[in-house]
Amino acid sequence: MIRGLCAAFLCALVVTVAFWSSGASAQSVRFNFNTESRGLDKKFQKQMVAYNGREAPGTIIIDTKNRFLFLVMPGGQAMRYGVGVGRDGFAWSGEATIESKQEWPKWFPPKEMIARDPKLAPYSTGMAGGPENPLGARAMYLYKDGKDTLFRIHGTSQPWSIGQSLSSGCIRLLNEDVIDLYERVNLGTTVVVQ
């Protein structure tokens, strides 16, 4: 009996250690983001496209009018992702750089957002990362002249918002797409918002 319990405990321990050492996490296993793009207009699904602009490979270009983010690639190509953008009064344009990257980021609504929507006050000290967090699976923080712009490129807990203009200015992607982009870009990446 004791030998059987010890064997069961040892087996459970080995499985747990194997699970965590594989780099898996409860969130990445529990949530299958590969299904987010189902039902999404094909033009907003991630795809390689021709690119003939002047920006160097590695640059991110955000076309807010058409709701696309382009990651310029070598050889006259770009990876194109569908995005959700800022609603009227919250859209922005210009150039920034990615100065921070976070996996399952904690979300802190800015005080201006809380003033517009007092229901967010409980999150003034932050909302833990996870699939219900508005920043989604990854976030890239945009800076201009060394200062945080408070704008982000991030995932979303609302995949239906891709192709829409309804955020508070941030650029949102499907979680599966923001994970892909996050792994392709480095700190210091230039972001051009048009």
Side-chain angles (χ1 to χ4, degrees):
M1 173 84 170
I2 292 177
R3 186 179 294 167
L5 287 174
C6 287
F9 175 77
L10 184 59
C11 182
L13 181 63
V14 168
V15 168
T16 302
V17 169
F19 175 80
W20 290 112
S21 67
S22 71
S25 73
Q27 291 172 336
S28 64
V29 171
R30 186 172 160 213
F31 301 98
N32 180 2
F33 295 124
N34 294 327
T35 62
E36 286 185 323
S37 59
R38 287 187 191 153
L40 186 67
D41 186 321
K42 288 199 183 300
K43 73 179 180 181
F44 293 121
Q45 293 180 8
K46 180 180 79 169
Q47 54 194 286
M48 190 67 74
V49 297
Y51 175 76
N52 61 3
R54 66 181 183 270
E55 285 82 7
T59 303
I60 292 175
I61 303 160
I62 300 170
D63 177 351
T64 58
K65 179 181 176 191
N66 293 303
R67 317 290 196 268
F68 294 122
L69 180 152
F70 298 89
L71 174 59
V72 179
M73 308 292 276
Q77 296 194 314
M79 185 64 72
R80 185 178 81 186
Y81 306 85
V83 297
V85 299
R87 64 185 179 270
D88 287 344
F90 292 91
W92 65 284
S93 63
E95 192 171 302
T97 58
I98 295 173
E99 296 295 330
S100 178
K101 295 169 55 177
Q102 299 292 319
E103 295 183 15
W104 294 105
K106 192 170 186 178
W107 176 60
F108 296 89
K111 62 184 177 206
E112 298 83 4
M113 186 181 284
I114 294 171
R116 288 190 309 272
D117 187 355
K119 293 182 300 191
L120 299 176
Y123 302 113
S124 63
T125 58
M127 177 186 208
E132 299 303 317
N133 182 307
L135 296 180
R138 304 288 184 273
M140 290 155 273
Y141 298 74
L142 304 180
Y143 283 66
K144 174 109 177 138
D145 300 323
K147 295 180 183 173
D148 188 352
T149 65
L150 300 181
F151 292 110
R152 317 284 184 239
I153 298 171
H154 61 80
T156 182
S157 56
Q158 302 169 325
W160 52 265
S161 67
I162 302 305
Q164 306 295 316
S165 171
L166 50 81
S167 79
S168 292
C170 290
I171 306 301
R172 55 174 70 178
L173 292 86
L174 294 175
N175 282 312
E176 63 186 273
D177 289 350
V178 79
I179 290 169
D180 181 76
L181 179 66
Y182 181 95
E183 293 177 1
R184 292 177 185 267
V185 300
N186 298 313
L187 295 179
T189 294
T190 298
V191 178
V192 179
V193 181
Q194 305 170 338

